[in-house]
Amino acid sequence: MRRLILLLAFLFLVPSPARAQNLELSLSPAVITFPSSDPDTVPLVSAAPVQVTYRIRSNGNSPWSLTVLAAGDLVAGASRVDISNVTWVATPAPPFQNGTLSKTVAQRVASGNGNVNPNTLGSITFRLANSWTYNTGSYTQTVLFTLSAP
Amino acid sequence: MAAGRVPAAQTSNATLNAAINSVARLSLSSAALTFPDADPDTVPSIQASQGPITVTAKARTSPNGTVTLTIRAGDQLRSGLNTIPEANITWVATGGGFSNGTLSATTAQAVATWTGSGVHTGTQTFFFRNLWSYATGTYTLTMTYTLSAA
């Protein structure tokens, strides 16, 4: 009997399971393409806008943020284009903000407080600073978007 | 006890693609050259009135690709039925990769050569060999510059 009481006491003392925030994030398209252009006529090459769909539930009044981190520079064989040459323009602002890609520090794309429900859209247009110094090639890199509610 | 909050995160990957194709652009500070009349004994080599022509060559190529700028005369200098061989026109060049030369209507002559992508600037100062043997007249010819990136 004593053991049963101890077990029940333990169960009541243990914190009830935390209710995790429910976060949803999707990107469309997931492939962002910069077409080749003459640097004199198109100094800033724009890709088609990326539609961000996100939803945040069970977040109370806590903050949330959407960040982006590049896995490295744009790479084509031995050639590289520093990822800081890629910037973005995002709407609506707020909660979205413009920025510059980094391969070392996740950059904030959007932020706010509380819940975002139902699904909400944002738009991100990535732009590549065009230059005569780039080597020819087909460059690629992966970027990671993270929606978090700390 | 109050329920604790569990940090939550949702991630999504995107791929950046950038096409950097070969492209070249050439500009000259003057599209016309004029050699004023002069006494062959006192001015055996007539400098073009425009002075040094500034040549700006921009090209994107592979990491070790060759960028070449050539010039070729369309014909001899002509004034009606009278002609003067185009080889009587020479140039002196300044700038990295640029070289001096003599005009030819049969073979394109190298003006400059570089390796890799970038913007290059130099000058060409043209001279006309002045001789007593020339028939009087107003002579003209057309020169064609070709900038190529391999």
Side-chain angles (χ1 to χ4, degrees):
Chain A
M1 186 63 181
R2 179 179 290 177
R3 285 184 179 177
L4 178 61
I5 292 172
L6 285 173
L7 177 61
L8 289 173
F10 176 77
L11 289 174
F12 280 109
L13 287 173
V14 168
S16 60
R19 189 176 181 190
Q21 300 90 328
N22 190 331
L23 307 179
E24 297 173 26
L25 173 67
S26 65
L27 307 172
S28 181
V31 176
I32 301 157
T33 301
F34 299 104
S36 186
S37 302
D38 182 325
D40 280 2
T41 56
V42 185
L44 208 53
V45 183
S46 292
V50 175
Q51 182 174 285
V52 180
T53 305
Y54 64 106
R55 181 156 71 161
I56 301 162
R57 291 176 291 173
S58 303
N59 192 41
N61 289 318
S62 297
W64 59 268
S65 68
L66 174 64
T67 62
V68 64
L69 177 66
D73 293 326
L74 289 166
V75 175
S79 299
R80 289 175 180 271
V81 171
D82 196 290
I83 201 66
S84 64
N85 287 294
V86 178
T87 58
W88 73 82
V89 175
T91 58
F96 283 81
Q97 63 188 63
N98 304 337
T100 302
L101 277 182
S102 167
K103 58 180 179 282
T104 56
V105 179
Q107 300 296 302
R108 183 174 293 171
V109 176
S111 60
N113 289 288
N115 295 314
V116 179
N117 197 17
N119 277 335
T120 303
L121 301 178
S123 177
I124 305 174
T125 301
F126 284 92
R127 306 192 298 186
L128 172 65
N130 207 359
S131 172
W132 285 105
T133 61
Y134 297 158
N135 294 323
T136 55
S138 295
Y139 292 78
T140 190
Q141 189 51 265
T142 301
V143 292
L144 177 67
F145 286 85
T146 302
L147 178 62
S148 60
Chain B
M1 283 186 68
R5 295 195 73 84
V6 176
Q10 180 73 38
T11 62
S12 186
N13 277 318
T15 301
L16 292 177
N17 290 327
I20 305 295
N21 296 339
S22 181
V23 61
R25 182 178 286 269
L26 176 67
S27 63
L28 306 171
S29 62
S30 176
L33 291 173
T34 304
F35 298 101
D37 190 24
D39 181 328
D41 283 352
T42 56
V43 187
S45 181
I46 303 171
Q47 181 178 322
S49 303
Q50 288 73 12
I53 303 297
T54 299
V55 179
T56 303
K58 304 174 182 178
R60 283 204 302 217
T61 185
S62 57
N64 294 311
T66 301
V67 179
T68 304
L69 176 62
T70 62
I71 189 172
R72 184 172 182 174
D75 197 356
Q76 300 180 85
L77 287 155
R78 287 189 179 276
S79 175
L81 296 177
N82 298 320
T83 61
I84 296 173
E86 73 281 3
N88 287 300
I89 296 177
T90 58
W91 71 85
V92 173
T94 65
F98 284 80
S99 55
N100 303 337
T102 301
L103 208 55
S104 170
T106 55
T107 305
Q109 301 297 301
V111 174
T113 302
W114 305 279
T115 299
S117 301
V119 177
H120 305 278
T121 301
T123 67
Q124 277 183 293
T125 303
F126 286 88
F127 296 90
F128 176 61
R129 186 184 178 204
N130 199 6
L131 297 176
W132 286 105
S133 58
Y134 298 154
T136 57
T138 301
Y139 292 79
T140 62
L141 70 71
T142 300
M143 304 184 300
T144 301
Y145 286 86
T146 302
L147 177 63
S148 59

